[in-house]
Amino acid sequence: MSGEGKRVKRINTKKKFVADGVFQAELNEFLERTLGMEGYAGIEVRATSMSTEIRIKATKAKEILEKSGRKVRELKSLIEKRYNFNEVDNKVELAIKPLPYDRNLCASAQAENLKYKLLGGTPVRLAANNILASVMRRGGAKGCEIIISGKIRGQRAKSQKYKQGYIVSTGQPKLEFVDVACRHVELRQGILGVKVKIMQDSEKAIGKYKKIMPDCVKIHEPKDETHDIKPDVLSAAPRE
């Protein structure tokens, strides 16, 4: 009977994919609200049979670990209570990791930055142009696009698009090379929707390997020709 009590409950593959998707979506939304000011930039979940590791990417990872140790422990406690994790056979580990690239190239960080600029009363055009400048000049991105929609001015809702540089918008490269983030800004006149797209470069490092855009052609400089070399004739060695 004791063996039957410990038997692992099997789950349908389709239901497992749906459950994993719901778990990541809920967790992402929760961390967006709690770590928005700290530059939250996404999560990575690695699950094994005994434990689940949640890696939180943030632009201010060092500050969170140094100053907000209590906040991290609170987050871990809330996640354990919500998803029934325990310390025996279903442990959860929370890790705060810095971004592997410049924070000016992170769409989530820039969307949060734009959100707080708009909440602070900065005009829409000025706020969007500031974000474009920081992404393109300081970050050195290939392209950036910002879409702001809602009651920007007056009672009529409209959409404004600010774009600079080159950015792909179709196919598999769009999924692999373009970083996208959406945020909602709650203003007095209504809610504004903010979408930031950033294309970092035509090459992307994935572990040890590099992924290159399919239409990226690199032309190398021609080698210097040396005209002083004279061709020599090599005769075959005599047989003994």
Side-chain angles (χ1 to χ4, degrees):
M1 291 295 288
S2 60
E4 287 179 14
K6 290 181 181 178
R7 191 178 292 167
V8 179
K9 188 182 176 184
R10 289 182 69 88
I11 188 168
N12 186 0
T13 311
K14 197 189 287 184
K15 285 183 180 177
K16 186 184 181 301
F17 275 105
V18 172
D20 288 348
V22 169
F23 170 70
Q24 290 216 19
E26 277 186 13
L27 199 58
N28 188 50
E29 190 179 344
F30 169 63
L31 293 170
E32 252 179 39
R33 291 178 182 178
T34 50
L35 296 174
M37 291 286 283
E38 285 81 8
Y40 169 72
I43 51 167
E44 211 175 292
V45 180
R46 294 189 178 186
T48 61
S49 57
M50 294 295 289
S51 67
T52 303
E53 186 187 4
I54 299 167
R55 293 183 179 182
I56 301 169
K57 295 177 194 170
T59 54
K60 298 178 184 175
K62 200 174 179 182
E63 290 177 27
I64 295 169
L65 293 169
E66 285 176 0
K67 297 175 185 176
S68 309
R70 184 183 168 189
K71 195 172 189 178
V72 175
R73 288 193 295 274
E74 282 176 5
L75 287 174
K76 188 181 176 183
S77 174
L78 285 166
I79 291 166
E80 281 175 346
K81 284 174 185 173
R82 169 69 182 83
Y83 298 104
N84 299 322
F85 288 110
N86 56 54
E87 290 293 325
V88 183
D89 59 345
N90 193 14
K91 195 164 65 170
V92 65
E93 293 170 10
L94 213 64
I96 311 285
K97 299 284 181 185
L99 285 175
Y101 47 85
D102 187 6
R103 72 180 300 272
N104 290 310
L105 296 172
C106 175
S108 298
Q110 295 305 323
E112 285 289 343
N113 195 1
L114 181 57
K115 177 182 173 179
Y116 288 111
K117 276 181 190 291
L118 294 171
L119 285 170
T122 311
V124 173
R125 190 186 292 273
L126 182 63
N129 285 329
N130 281 344
I131 298 295
L132 279 176
S134 67
V135 170
M136 297 301 290
R137 289 177 197 161
R138 292 180 211 157
K142 200 103 174 164
C144 178
E145 184 180 280
I146 296 168
I147 301 168
I148 302 169
S149 56
K151 288 182 183 177
I152 296 165
R153 188 182 294 168
Q155 285 298 306
R156 190 78 178 218
K158 60 179 178 178
S159 181
Q160 289 184 2
K161 189 187 281 187
Y162 301 88
K163 191 175 178 182
Q164 203 170 325
Y166 166 69
I167 192 163
V168 288
S169 55
T170 54
Q172 188 65 20
K174 178 196 170 185
L175 305 175
E176 291 173 348
F177 290 92
V178 180
D179 189 15
V180 184
C182 295
R183 293 291 183 273
H184 301 98
V185 188
E186 295 177 4
L187 298 174
R188 193 173 59 187
Q189 69 265 28
I191 293 181
L192 292 184
V194 169
K195 190 182 226 181
V196 178
K197 295 181 186 178
I198 298 172
M199 183 172 164
Q200 296 182 14
D201 202 359
S202 53
E203 290 183 6
K204 189 179 180 182
I206 300 172
K208 297 178 185 177
Y209 307 103
K210 270 188 180 179
K211 187 157 265 189
I212 303 170
M213 283 267 291
D215 62 344
C216 180
V217 178
K218 195 175 274 187
I219 300 169
H220 298 281
E221 288 292 321
K223 292 180 182 178
D224 295 329
E225 292 182 8
T226 50
H227 299 286
D228 302 333
I229 297 171
K230 291 180 181 178
D232 291 331
V233 178
L234 296 172
S235 58
R239 292 182 182 177
E240 292 180 358

